[in-house]
Amino acid sequence: MNPETGNYELRLPGARQPGATEGRTGSASGSGARTPRNAPPRQRRAPSAPGDRETPGTGDKPVPGQRDRRAPVNRRKGRGAKKKRSRGRRILTWAGGTLAMIVLVAALGAWYLWERLNGNLTRVDAGTSADYDDDDPVNILFIGTDSRTGEGNDSYGGEASEGNDTTILMHFSAGREHATGLSIPRDMITDIPACEITGEDGTTETIPASEGVRFNQAMGAMGRDPSCVVNTVQEMTGVTINHLIMADFNAVKELSSAVGGVPICLEEPIDDPKSGLNLPAGDHVVEGEEALAFVRTRYGVGNSGDLDRIKLQQQFVASMARQITDGGILSSPTRLLELADVATRALTVDDEIENVNDLRLLAEDLGRVSMSEMNFVTLPVVDNPDEPADARATVVIDEARAAPIFRMIQEDIDPNQAAEEEAAAEEEQAEAVEPAPAAEVRVDVYNGGDVMGAAQQTLEWLQNVQGMPLTTNKSNAPESQETTTLEYGADQADQAATLAEVMGLPDSALQQVDEDRGETPMVLILGNDFRGPGQPIEVPAELPEDVDSITADDENVCAS
């Protein structure tokens, strides 16, 4: 420390300090001042433990946390005091510099990963609506395309196309307590509504609607893109789709390998030369080419049709979900990063997902659903009646069995809870009223809706199918009405119970009057909500008993 300039300066041994007087005692700072020859040698002090320093000139130890008032306070920026500060400052500077370097390297790494993962994402305009809050239900449409680009993929199923080969509508409940995956068969005959597509040059084009075509023509055919699949599923189910996630053949191979293989089970061996799958019965772990062959195979399983292949795909998806949640991937940064890299390269998402962080937040949110509360079902269908019995290749929606599933998703109802509530309601109703025999039901039928001939159609069905001869067609009601009603007397509750059961009337349709009606018939007025004889006006929001369903935590599902 140069007292004349107030700066620190480097001094060579023997150099004379500016302003120092001859014979001045040198300090421990090594300033270069000479020590008199007759001065006693300096004693080297033994280092003391931190916090155990003696107070200068006393030999006593200060009380921790207090300054010894006998010791002089050096307020001068002297050489000795400044030297200790300088050393401490150098240590802090070194530590701070190292920390800054670590933070910089980490930030560069995070930036690199962010840019890399974001660069992996492929986004498309799918016409989805991400206008929902954290406590709202979320509906995601998963599409597996028929694209065969990539090494070895041209051997699967003939010529390449861009059709929606696999389609699953995933519904996640508002509180994330449950989820339902609805598989839609690719060979189902349906109507595809008109949709507007955007070309690579930004121009738009409207693809006209198609009636009575296979569902897998919703994408690829006539230039349709993923937004056309979204439109078709929304119109079919009455459900608003919030996000789209799309995968091709390569995605199946790469994701199955990234999770360390996907466990599957076969009740019978499969030897399918068209998909290349050749596995004996029992448990297996498939990945890569073998995983793709498994989700593509259909010959040698069940009836060798698309519906049996859907069961394989549901088993595969559920098992992969268990691998991610239970296989230690989420707790391993290395494996999680590998999976994120593969997933962002393999998947295509809608443009409502702006970056990889949006995708991460979505995954964290939906990941709250327990595997035991995640159900997979197939949309109920029947053979296409327009095809000959010996050459049936397509199916059509079974409206009566599909309607409860659609309502369940639309109203965000837990399928397990709905089944329990429905059973309890039926038991309560059975205990309350003993239904009358069908032959004793006396009712006048009026048409109060817009469907021509509804009253006569219902009358014939009640008399010829349900065995109710005491029914009468009273033609049109005095006034039209939106909802169907059944008015009955206090002494006709048993007849009303019988009619309500066969007609599928909700409780809201039943209107009991106080007085007895005797032989006077009940009054049934068909409203605009009437869907046909025997078709429930208010469909129950539940899974039909004869619809196959599995849960994602069921490890005992085997393909047969």
Side-chain angles (χ1 to χ4, degrees):
M1 178 66 176
N2 189 335
E4 295 180 358
T5 64
N7 297 325
Y8 286 94
E9 299 175 1
L10 180 63
R11 291 278 182 262
L12 296 176
R16 189 175 175 81
Q17 178 179 338
T21 56
E22 185 68 22
R24 184 174 179 178
T25 302
S27 70
S29 64
S31 63
R34 297 184 180 182
T35 303
R37 295 191 180 203
N38 57 355
R42 288 179 294 178
Q43 300 295 323
R44 186 181 301 273
R45 295 182 58 187
S48 58
D52 197 26
R53 189 178 56 190
E54 293 181 352
T55 304
T58 66
D60 298 328
K61 296 181 180 179
V63 179
Q66 296 184 359
R67 178 175 58 84
D68 191 337
R69 299 185 180 276
R70 297 173 297 172
V73 180
N74 186 359
R75 302 185 184 276
R76 181 177 64 88
K77 297 180 179 180
R79 291 190 298 271
K82 198 66 179 182
K83 182 177 180 68
K84 292 177 181 178
R85 290 183 189 172
S86 176
R87 182 171 179 268
R89 186 172 298 171
R90 288 199 301 272
I91 294 174
L92 288 176
T93 301
W94 178 87
T98 303
L99 180 60
M101 181 61 67
I102 294 174
V103 171
L104 177 61
V105 170
L108 288 175
W111 174 84
Y112 168 74
L113 293 176
W114 175 270
E115 290 298 313
R116 174 176 174 176
L117 296 179
N118 269 339
N120 288 345
L121 274 181
T122 300
R123 300 163 61 241
V124 295
D125 180 5
T128 52
S129 173
D131 185 18
Y132 60 88
D133 296 327
D134 292 340
D135 55 350
D136 289 340
V138 176
N139 300 303
I140 300 181
L141 190 65
F142 289 87
I143 298 177
T145 71
D146 225 1
S147 173
R148 293 165 173 79
T149 57
E151 183 178 355
N153 294 334
D154 55 356
S155 62
Y156 291 95
E159 296 182 0
S161 69
E162 292 293 336
N164 44 307
D165 188 60
T166 300
T167 306
I168 302 177
L169 173 61
M170 286 296 305
H171 168 78
F172 296 86
S173 68
R176 309 299 182 257
E177 291 94 357
H178 62 88
T180 300
L182 179 64
S183 295
I184 305 176
R186 51 162 287 176
D187 294 330
M188 181 184 66
I189 299 300
T190 188
D191 296 336
I192 299 176
C195 62
E196 185 179 272
I197 65 172
T198 303
E200 295 181 357
D201 58 355
T203 59
T204 59
E205 177 186 359
T206 299
I207 307 297
S210 296
E211 297 182 357
V213 298
R214 291 179 188 243
F215 174 62
N216 69 333
Q217 293 188 26
M219 189 170 73
M222 301 176 63
R224 294 187 178 101
D225 65 9
S227 67
C228 301
V229 187
V230 171
N231 284 350
T232 304
V233 174
Q234 288 185 151
E235 186 167 297
M236 179 191 306
T237 63
V239 175
T240 299
I241 295 175
N242 304 116
H243 289 296
L244 167 78
I245 297 180
M246 191 164 58
D248 59 10
F249 282 6
N250 282 330
V252 175
K253 295 193 294 187
E254 294 178 3
L255 287 173
S256 62
S257 296
V259 300
V262 178
I264 61 164
C265 175
L266 301 178
E267 284 190 2
E268 302 290 339
I270 295 180
D271 185 5
D272 182 1
K274 291 194 174 183
S275 69
L277 185 66
N278 187 358
L279 290 175
D283 296 329
H284 303 276
V285 177
V286 295
E287 63 176 293
E289 292 288 348
E290 197 170 47
L292 179 58
F294 178 77
V295 299
R296 289 289 304 159
T297 192
R298 57 178 170 175
Y299 297 99
V301 180
N303 295 322
S304 300
D306 186 53
L307 297 180
D308 294 299
R309 182 173 64 174
I310 286 177
K311 297 178 182 179
L312 299 182
Q313 294 169 348
Q314 291 174 345
Q315 180 190 158
F316 182 85
V317 172
S319 182
M320 179 180 286
R322 291 195 302 270
Q323 281 292 92
I324 295 174
T325 57
D326 302 335
I329 293 178
L330 300 181
S331 60
S332 171
T334 302
R335 296 187 65 190
L336 186 59
L337 176 59
E338 179 186 0
L339 180 60
D341 188 36
V342 171
T344 50
R345 282 189 288 106
L347 302 177
T348 297
V349 299
D350 63 276
D351 57 3
E352 297 285 350
I353 300 175
E354 296 183 354
N355 51 54
V356 71
N357 192 51
D358 286 350
L359 190 60
R360 177 185 66 84
L361 294 175
L362 179 64
E364 287 181 353
D365 178 30
L366 304 183
R368 292 185 290 153
V369 179
S370 169
M371 293 291 103
S372 62
E373 298 299 329
M374 187 174 295
N375 296 279
F376 289 92
V377 299
T378 302
L379 181 64
V381 293
V382 294
D383 290 336
N384 187 354
D386 296 333
E387 294 178 338
D390 58 348
R392 286 175 175 165
T394 61
V395 293
V396 295
I397 294 180
D398 186 340
E399 297 287 353
R401 294 163 64 227
I405 300 177
F406 291 158
R407 183 188 164 203
M408 182 184 68
I409 298 176
Q410 293 165 5
E411 300 182 14
D412 190 27
I413 296 176
D414 185 342
N416 298 324
Q417 181 181 355
E420 296 173 359
E421 292 177 353
E422 182 71 15
E426 291 178 355
E427 183 178 354
E428 182 179 352
Q429 184 178 6
E431 294 176 354
V433 179
E434 182 70 24
E440 297 180 4
V441 174
R442 189 184 300 271
V443 61
D444 290 340
V445 182
Y446 293 82
N447 186 5
D450 298 331
V451 179
M452 297 294 294
Q456 182 62 30
Q457 183 184 12
T458 301
L459 176 71
E460 294 175 356
W461 181 78
L462 290 174
Q463 291 181 344
N464 301 328
V465 178
Q466 298 300 322
M468 298 180 180
L470 303 179
T471 55
T472 306
N473 177 10
K474 289 295 184 179
S475 191
N476 293 331
E479 296 181 359
S480 63
Q481 58 187 53
E482 289 297 320
T483 60
T484 299
T485 58
L486 174 63
E487 183 182 284
Y488 61 97
D491 58 338
Q492 296 174 322
D494 55 346
Q495 297 182 43
T498 302
L499 187 62
E501 182 178 356
V502 299
M503 289 288 295
L505 302 179
D507 291 341
S508 59
L510 305 183
Q511 299 178 356
Q512 178 180 327
V513 296
D514 294 335
E515 65 273 8
D516 291 343
R517 302 285 289 266
E519 296 296 322
T520 302
M522 299 182 294
V523 176
L524 175 64
I525 301 179
L526 306 176
N528 285 325
D529 59 352
F530 177 69
R531 302 170 59 242
Q535 295 189 31
I537 291 176
E538 185 178 87
V539 295
E542 63 181 11
L543 295 178
E545 295 181 357
D546 56 350
V547 172
D548 292 333
S549 174
I550 66 170
T551 56
D553 69 331
D554 191 351
E555 300 181 10
N556 299 316
V557 176
C558 288
S560 59

